[in-house]
Amino acid sequence: LNSPKDLSFLQGTLIEYRCHKGYDLASPTRLVCQEDGGWNGTAPSCVPAECETPPSPEHGWVNVTDTSFGSMVKYTCEEGYELEGEPLRQCLSGRLWTKDAPVCRPVFCGNPGAIDDGTAHGGAFVYPEVVHYNCRPGFVLKGRDTIACQADGKWNGQKPRCEPLSCGPPKVPSDVTFKGDEYTYNQEIELRCQPGFLLQGKSVSVCQADGTWSQESPTCVPAHCGKPSQIPNGRVLGSEFGLNSEVKYECDEGYTLNGDSTRVCQSDG
């Protein structure tokens, strides 16, 4: 800065001070030449220009050694985060830093994918988010039900898998047999009784989602054919209708039997 006393100015002259690039006025000052030939104040001083210290980004920090004109600052992120933007900024005249401040974004692990017969819960796939896995009814989870996105951008384990639930071999009474060797969810077995006995209920049992068989207590009862129906103009002879029991048919006088005169109760009832 040059002092106004080094120059000649008329009364009422207004002067304004400015600093060279890289310097700022310590205080804004304007001086006026007064009637007595003096100025209404003293000349200000120019000090090195400085930028305000920039704030640290979330999940990161800024390395500041100097904030004067031309100085540089460097941005760094915490582990598990990546810098988006320029890592270096410079202090310019006007107390401004170059470019916009960068931000720290969480690292991306990628979509680990769905699993068969199950569902995945979690959609960000970034550090430190987790994904939870569940199986649909009738299936059980093999492996960990949760995996986490790590700071290195990798998942901390393999995703699990869903396997069909097992009901185990069915427990049936000694007089009941079953056919089938698959005991997992939705598989079927066929139940049977010994000859001369009939199964009470359905002959097929299904492995259910709760791990039980749909026919838990199958029962065999002796085959019984029931009383046969009467025939017009004739009669049925016999009062036993169990397995191997025999009934006979006779016609009234004046009628002839058309068909076998004897019927036997069979094992299928």
Side-chain angles (χ1 to χ4, degrees):
L1 286 172
N2 293 321
S3 170
K5 295 181 180 180
D6 297 336
L7 303 172
S8 296
F9 295 93
L10 297 176
Q11 177 188 351
T13 300
L14 174 67
I15 62 172
E16 184 175 349
Y17 290 88
R18 293 180 182 176
C19 296
H20 295 305
K21 186 176 181 180
Y23 292 84
D24 288 328
L25 285 170
S27 60
T29 302
R30 290 182 177 181
L31 297 182
V32 179
C33 182
Q34 303 180 106
E35 293 180 359
D36 60 1
W39 295 94
N40 66 334
T42 58
S45 59
C46 287
V47 296
E50 288 194 2
C51 293
E52 292 186 5
T53 300
S56 294
E58 187 176 4
H59 301 295
W61 62 90
V62 57
N63 185 19
V64 181
T65 56
D66 188 8
T67 57
S68 62
F69 174 74
S71 62
M72 306 285 286
V73 293
K74 184 177 182 180
Y75 290 78
T76 308
C77 293
E78 298 172 0
E79 185 180 24
Y81 293 84
E82 297 174 322
L83 201 66
E84 184 179 284
E86 293 294 330
L88 298 176
R89 299 176 76 194
Q90 186 176 27
C91 179
L92 302 178
S93 61
R95 302 187 178 187
L96 297 175
W97 293 100
T98 55
K99 304 182 180 67
D100 292 330
V103 294
C104 292
R105 303 290 189 196
V107 298
F108 182 64
C109 285
N111 187 347
I115 56 175
D116 293 335
D117 301 306
T119 56
H121 304 278
F125 310 138
V126 296
Y127 175 79
E129 298 295 322
V130 298
V131 175
H132 299 275
Y133 289 94
N134 300 100
C135 294
R136 65 183 179 88
F139 293 82
V140 291
L141 200 69
K142 295 296 182 180
R144 293 188 298 178
D145 63 349
T146 301
I147 58 174
C149 180
Q150 302 179 119
D152 60 0
K154 298 179 181 179
W155 294 99
N156 68 339
Q158 296 293 323
K159 61 185 179 182
R161 66 184 187 278
C162 292
E163 294 184 352
L165 176 147
S166 177
C167 290
K171 297 179 180 179
V172 296
S174 58
D175 58 345
V176 177
T177 60
F178 63 87
K179 180 181 180 182
D181 54 9
E182 294 288 338
Y183 309 132
T184 55
Y185 175 62
N186 265 345
Q187 295 296 321
E188 298 179 351
I189 58 171
E190 183 181 352
L191 302 173
R192 296 177 179 176
C193 293
Q194 300 295 331
F197 291 83
L198 297 177
L199 189 70
Q200 293 283 85
K202 296 181 179 179
S203 62
V204 172
S205 187
V206 182
C207 179
Q208 303 177 116
D210 62 358
T212 63
W213 290 98
S214 59
Q215 301 296 324
E216 285 192 327
S217 302
T219 304
C220 292
V221 296
H224 192 275
C225 292
K227 185 178 180 179
S229 58
Q230 295 291 333
I231 60 174
N233 305 305
R235 66 193 66 83
V236 180
L237 303 177
S239 58
E240 295 293 331
F241 310 121
L243 178 66
N244 293 327
S245 295
E246 185 178 286
V247 295
K248 293 184 178 181
Y249 290 85
E250 288 183 353
C251 292
D252 295 337
E253 187 176 354
Y255 290 86
T256 302
L257 191 67
N258 183 16
D260 293 334
S261 62
T262 302
R263 296 178 70 190
V264 178
C265 180
Q266 302 181 71
S267 61
D268 60 359

